[in-house]
């Protein structure tokens, strides 16, 4: 494969660093000061972080004061998913966490809740969180143990299916619960407003937006209802997240947030055209291809498909050998591919392989063409009963 051009179509795993984000990271590296220092060098880094807070807040229609920078979405999830809250100075207990069955492990693992206090909300066969089930679960919630907390993602990382988060917010708030939205995959791909979605907390990650890896944020609706501190120390981020701020990554996050906020409509329309054209051709090339979530609202950039008879792992390797980087959508850190918990939650057989193609702002027609050529070959080999890899 060496020397051959690679085609990167795995933007939901991580989006390539944009030129603007790279530039911001590089210039922040040259700043000498500690943002907590009062001298000029320190104040310059503080100003950079304050500006970044405004940019990230603007991405989700929040107040800058309500953005807490973290090392990523996983840390933000662990910060907010806790039984221990306070309302102003008054401690507040959360008795149970309800997470949708299709959440990313960062949320599905339940943060600081004991496993026995985490309940999964089922999804419908269409891949949407079952709102009737959510209602029933919250009606049965034992308030004596504390408030309910509900975490639902805005868009699923595997299927791209957009969840009925606004309706869920009404149900959660009617039940007096706290509502957390993982907006990691939706940011930069859908217009976002923490107020319109009526979320109490929102989770973001820089590297899904073409920012650097290792930066994210927990965004809150206000500053009164707040989770117990996860990382104690010098009191940075108003005491919510101690440790010297990662100013370089935060600078890149801000540049990516600015890019994601501007020109959203045109950018997503162009990606959608590419994606829909690609899916039409996939169906022509392999009549039996299953494109998951095709009939419901999906992110513009995501295609999660199954070719009967092709295992996820085999397919992933076959595409990689063709120079195409796509993923199974559920690779764990070891790189091993497991059954998709998302498809299983939708009622599919655990043995059904699936692969995810995810496009982005610099994806070209040539990239899609290369993928389709490989797709045609792999689908054909499968039909002939030849090992796909
Ligand atoms: N939530 C979703 C929906 C994701 O797709 C991811 C990353 O794959 C995460 C959370 C975790 O983000 P991070 O890598 O910033 O911890």
């Amino acid at each position: 494969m060496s020397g051959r051009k690679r085609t990167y179509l795995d933007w939901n795993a991580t989006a390539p660093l944009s030129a603007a984000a790279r530039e911001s990271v590089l210039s922040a590296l040259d700043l000498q000061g500690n943002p907590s220092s009062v001298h000029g060098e320190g104040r310059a880094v503080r100003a950079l972080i304050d500006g970044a807070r405004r940019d990230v807040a603007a991405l989700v229609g929040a107040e800058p004061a309500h953005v807490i920078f973290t090392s990523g979405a996983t840390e933000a999830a662990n910060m907010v998913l806790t039984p221990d809250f306070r309302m102003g100075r008054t401690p507040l207990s959360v008795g149970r966490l309800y997470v949708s069955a299709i959440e990313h492990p960062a949320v599905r693992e339940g943060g600081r809740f004991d496993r026995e206090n985490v309940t999964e909300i089922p999804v419908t066969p269409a891949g949407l969180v079952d709102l009737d089930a959510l209602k029933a679960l919250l009606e049965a919630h034992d308030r004596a143990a504390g408030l309910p907390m509900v975490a639902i993602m805005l868009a699923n990382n595997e299927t791209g299916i957009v969840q009925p988060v606004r309706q869920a917010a009404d149900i959660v708030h009617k039940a007096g619960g706290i509502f957390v939205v993982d907006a990691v995959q939706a940011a930069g791909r859908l217009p976002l407003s923490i107020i319109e979605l009526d979320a109490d907390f929102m989770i973001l990650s820089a590297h899904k937006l073409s920012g650097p890896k290792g930066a994210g944020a927990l965004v809150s609706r206000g500053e009164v209802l707040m989770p117990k501190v996860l990382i104690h120390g010098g009191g940075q981020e108003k005491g919510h997240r101690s440790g010297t701020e990662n100013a370089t990554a935060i600078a890149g996050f801000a540049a990516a947030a600015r890019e994601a906020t501007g020109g959203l409509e045109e950018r997503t329309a162009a990606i959608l055209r590419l994606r829909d054209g690609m899916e039409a051709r996939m169906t022509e090339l392999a009549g039996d291809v299953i494109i998951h979530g095709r009939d419901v609202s999906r992110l513009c950039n995501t295609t999660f498909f199954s070719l009967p008879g092709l295992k996820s792992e085999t397919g992933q390797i076959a595409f990689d050998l063709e120079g195409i980087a796509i993923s199974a959508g559920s690779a764990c850190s070891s790189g091993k591919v497991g059954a998709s918990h998302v498809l299983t939650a939708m009622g599919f057989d655990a043995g059904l392989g699936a692969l995810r193609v995810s496009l982005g702002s610099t994806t070209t027609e040539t990239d899609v063409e290369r993928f389709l050529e490989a797709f045609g070959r792999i689908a054909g080999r499968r039909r002939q009963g030849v090992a796909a890899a």
Side-chain angles (χ1 to χ4, degrees):
M1 243 353 83
S2 65
R4 181 156 167 202
K5 191 178 178 328
R6 303 270 310 163
T7 301
Y8 186 80
L9 298 175
D10 202 10
W11 288 62
N12 288 12
T14 194
L17 192 70
S18 74
R22 184 172 186 277
E23 185 121 321
S24 293
V25 166
L26 290 177
S27 52
L29 277 172
D30 286 333
L31 294 176
Q32 305 294 323
N34 182 319
S36 297
S37 300
V38 294
H39 46 59
E41 287 82 349
R43 289 200 309 276
V45 185
R46 170 63 50 213
L48 179 147
I49 294 170
D50 287 346
R53 210 181 298 285
R54 286 192 290 275
D55 292 329
V56 171
L59 176 69
V60 296
E63 289 295 323
H66 300 163
V67 173
I68 303 168
F69 286 118
T70 63
S71 65
T74 302
E75 184 192 322
N78 278 270
M79 188 188 288
V80 73
L81 304 180
T82 171
D84 300 311
F85 265 72
R86 57 176 179 72
M87 179 72 98
R89 293 200 172 154
T90 314
L92 194 76
S93 257
V94 179
R96 181 162 289 278
L97 171 66
Y98 301 86
V99 296
S100 89
I102 55 170
E103 292 302 303
H104 185 277
V107 168
R108 198 161 158 249
E109 286 296 310
R112 290 183 273 172
F113 281 87
D114 290 334
R115 281 308 301 176
E116 68 262 26
N117 293 329
V118 181
T119 300
E120 280 195 0
I121 315 158
V123 299
T124 66
L128 297 165
V129 172
D130 186 335
L131 294 177
D132 290 332
L134 171 63
K135 225 180 273 173
L137 283 168
L138 293 182
E139 272 163 19
H141 175 81
D142 174 14
R143 290 189 69 95
L147 298 178
M149 173 183 270
V150 175
I152 298 176
M153 60 196 347
L154 184 46
N156 181 261
N157 48 300
E158 295 191 13
T159 59
I161 294 175
V162 178
Q163 299 300 316
V165 159
R166 183 63 188 80
Q167 294 95 306
D170 283 346
I171 296 168
V172 176
H173 288 145
K174 236 176 238 151
I178 300 173
F179 189 42
V180 178
V181 173
D182 175 349
V184 164
Q185 294 289 347
R189 296 176 183 148
L190 293 176
L192 273 187
S193 160
I194 191 169
I195 293 166
E196 277 175 27
L197 288 177
D198 201 16
D200 298 301
F201 295 93
M202 200 175 251
I203 294 167
L204 296 171
S205 175
H207 73 102
K208 310 287 180 172
L209 290 172
S210 291
K213 297 163 190 67
L218 178 68
V219 183
S220 60
R221 187 67 173 276
E223 287 180 277
V224 179
L225 176 72
M226 291 305 284
K228 185 177 172 184
V229 171
L230 174 66
I231 299 179
H232 300 266
Q236 288 87 346
E237 297 294 280
K238 290 198 230 156
H240 296 303
R241 201 279 187 182
S242 285
T244 302
E245 298 88 336
N246 184 352
T248 43
I250 289 171
F253 187 8
R258 286 194 297 274
E259 285 187 299
T261 311
L264 179 73
E265 221 171 289
E266 304 87 85
R267 193 176 58 252
T268 53
I271 297 172
L272 183 67
R273 258 196 312 278
L274 270 183
R275 198 277 310 267
D276 285 353
M278 177 182 85
E279 289 187 354
R281 291 276 308 284
M282 288 168 72
T283 312
E284 283 166 20
L285 289 163
D288 59 346
V289 66
I290 304 163
I291 295 175
H292 300 288
R294 209 172 190 176
D295 301 327
V296 290
S297 173
R298 261 184 313 156
L299 291 178
C300 60
N301 75 318
T302 308
T303 298
F304 195 41
F305 71 92
S306 297
L307 276 169
L310 183 68
K311 289 201 183 100
S312 304
E313 202 152 14
T314 318
Q316 206 176 344
I317 296 166
F319 278 99
D320 191 40
L321 290 172
E322 295 267 5
I324 316 278
I326 60 171
S327 78
S330 63
C332 54
S333 55
S334 67
K336 243 183 122 236
V337 179
S340 161
H341 74 281
V342 175
L343 288 186
T344 309
M346 287 165 70
F348 286 94
D349 189 290
L352 180 71
L355 293 166
R356 180 186 66 193
V357 185
S358 48
L359 320 182
S361 55
T362 59
T363 304
T364 61
E365 288 194 17
T366 310
D367 294 330
V368 169
E369 207 44 57
R370 284 205 184 102
F371 163 74
L372 287 167
E373 282 166 17
F375 177 84
R377 280 192 288 272
I378 291 166
R381 283 208 295 270
R382 172 195 55 125
R383 265 200 299 276
Q384 290 155 19
V386 180

